[in-house]
Amino acid sequence: VLDASAGINLELRMRLASQDQATQSATMLKSQLGPAAGMLKMDKLDVSADGQDLKFVMLVSKQNLGPMLSAMQGLAGSMGGGAMGGAQ
């Protein structure tokens, strides 16, 4: 169950084969995800390496939750995905 009534604060870690692989993956993902934070109204979106771990942090305040969901719906529609939740 995900309760987003107070916003979203998410931290994920994924253990990779080596520290180099984690660093390379973080660098690649940062360049691809960086513009998404502003476009999707996220307060924070960060990817980093912590040893062998690839660390992903996302923070969306309660105030930005509605605008973020609207932006995601717009993005899905522009990519041919239609409304969120799948085709009817």
Side-chain angles (χ1 to χ4, degrees):
V1 174
L2 173 65
D3 179 4
S5 61
I8 298 172
N9 186 358
L10 178 68
E11 181 178 320
L12 300 172
R13 289 177 174 260
M14 182 170 55
R15 174 75 35 109
L16 300 180
S18 68
Q19 184 173 347
D20 286 341
Q21 188 179 23
T23 300
Q24 290 171 2
S25 296
T27 300
M28 180 188 66
L29 287 170
K30 269 187 182 183
S31 68
Q32 294 176 353
L33 294 176
M39 185 172 63
L40 294 177
K41 312 297 184 201
M42 294 179 184
D43 296 285
K44 180 178 182 178
L45 180 62
D46 187 45
V47 180
S48 61
D50 183 9
Q52 285 181 256
D53 291 348
L54 181 63
K55 182 178 169 185
F56 175 83
V57 176
M58 181 178 82
L59 176 63
V60 182
S61 64
K62 184 177 181 178
Q63 298 88 327
N64 282 339
L65 196 55
M68 182 197 76
L69 293 174
S70 295
M72 290 178 82
Q73 286 176 328
L75 183 61
S78 70
M79 297 174 81
M84 290 189 71
Q88 300 291 328

